[in-house]
């Protein structure tokens, strides 16, 4: 008898905007998304060692975890309490952006607390330094996320395979897309 195992797999699917807006609880839940709607993508994923369509259709449960963000808020700091990371600026979990921004939050907060002996003033300075930057990232991620280059190439090729990326998009265009996102996200070198 084959050994049983638990398998977690990730199968991102774009769905109509607003499908989950009525849900405040955005955690894993049983999916009401029809399997037939996304099976064509995986219908040819059959390997000697794994039959993905069989795995999906034979699953005891299919869970969905919507990728969501929240609109930027006007403030994070309330006296001696402030928010950081996802508490301050929940954003789509793409390209480790949330984790990266939380680390930048932590660095900025530590620098401000070291710079100013008044913790309330330091918290306000941290908020001033990070609030609009992260709000812009949240808004940008909605239209041009970290993996926008992949989406752009898919759009340009109509989803068809290609042999050389340079036949699809120029290195200058790729560089410009990447540099623009790095600048918005705070990853660009200040000396650049």
């Amino acid at each position: 008898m084959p050994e049983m195992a638990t398998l977690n797999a990730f199968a991102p699917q774009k769905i109509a905007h607003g499908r989950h807006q009525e849900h405040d609880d955005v955690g894993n839940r049983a999916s009401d998304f029809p399997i037939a709607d996304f099976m064509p993508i995986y219908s040819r994923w059959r390997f000697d060692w794994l039959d993905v369509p069989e795995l999906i259709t034979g699953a005891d449960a299919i869970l969905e975890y919507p990728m969501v963000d929240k609109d930027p808020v006007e403030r994070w700091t309330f006296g001696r309490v402030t928010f950081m990371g996802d508490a301050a600026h929940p954003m789509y979990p793409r390209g480790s952006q949330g984790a990266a921004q939380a680390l930048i939050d932590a660095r900025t907060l530590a620098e401000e607390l070291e710079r100013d002996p008044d913790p309330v003033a330091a918290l306000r300075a941290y908020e001033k330094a990070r609030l609009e930057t992260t709000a812009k990232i949240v808004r940008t991620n909605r239209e041009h996320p970290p993996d926008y280059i992949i989406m752009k190439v898919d759009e340009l090729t109509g989803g068809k395979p290609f042999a050389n990326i340079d036949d699809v998009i120029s290195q200058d265009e790729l560089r410009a897309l990447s540099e623009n996102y790095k600048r918005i996200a705070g990853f660009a070198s200040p000396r650049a």
Side-chain angles (χ1 to χ4, degrees):
M1 174 175 213
E3 200 173 308
M4 300 298 285
T6 298
L7 172 69
N8 290 310
F10 178 67
Q13 299 297 312
K14 248 188 173 170
I15 57 173
H17 178 68
R19 181 174 181 277
H20 293 287
Q21 285 183 335
E22 71 277 6
H23 297 292
D24 285 332
D25 60 325
V26 292
N28 284 355
R29 63 178 163 270
S31 177
D32 60 357
F33 195 75
I35 290 175
D37 287 359
F38 69 87
M39 279 303 292
I41 296 168
Y42 305 102
S43 65
R44 296 183 350 182
W45 289 34
R46 297 177 193 275
F47 309 97
D48 294 342
W49 50 276
L50 179 66
D51 185 326
V52 174
E54 182 180 317
L55 186 69
I56 293 170
T57 58
D60 291 336
I62 302 270
L63 301 177
E64 66 180 298
Y65 190 89
M67 290 180 37
V68 298
D69 68 356
K70 297 284 184 184
D71 288 333
V73 295
E74 293 180 16
R75 66 186 275 207
W76 302 342
T77 303
F78 305 87
R80 295 174 67 90
V81 175
T82 195
F83 297 141
M84 65 184 294
D86 281 349
H89 45 74
M91 55 186 67
Y92 290 121
R94 300 174 97 155
S96 299
Q97 190 56 261
Q101 292 306 315
L103 291 170
I104 296 171
D105 287 352
R107 181 194 67 209
T108 305
L109 181 57
E111 289 170 351
E112 295 301 337
L113 287 167
E114 182 179 51
R115 186 181 350 264
D116 197 323
D118 176 6
V120 174
L123 295 180
R124 282 193 306 263
Y126 150 73
E127 178 182 290
K128 184 177 181 185
R130 296 289 297 145
L131 185 77
E132 184 48 40
T133 298
T134 57
K136 188 172 185 179
I137 294 167
V138 168
R139 291 187 296 267
T140 300
N141 278 346
R142 292 175 179 172
E143 297 298 320
H144 300 286
D147 53 356
Y148 178 72
I149 291 172
I150 296 168
M151 296 162 55
K152 183 67 176 170
V153 169
D154 186 61
E155 174 190 312
L156 292 170
T157 63
K160 293 184 172 61
F162 55 90
N164 185 333
I165 189 73
D166 294 323
D167 295 337
V168 178
I169 189 169
S170 75
Q171 288 298 309
D172 287 341
E173 290 172 290
L174 287 171
R175 195 172 301 103
L177 289 169
S178 178
E179 292 302 321
N180 183 54
Y181 194 84
K182 287 194 291 188
R183 183 185 48 74
I184 291 166
F187 298 147
S189 169
R191 294 181 277 298

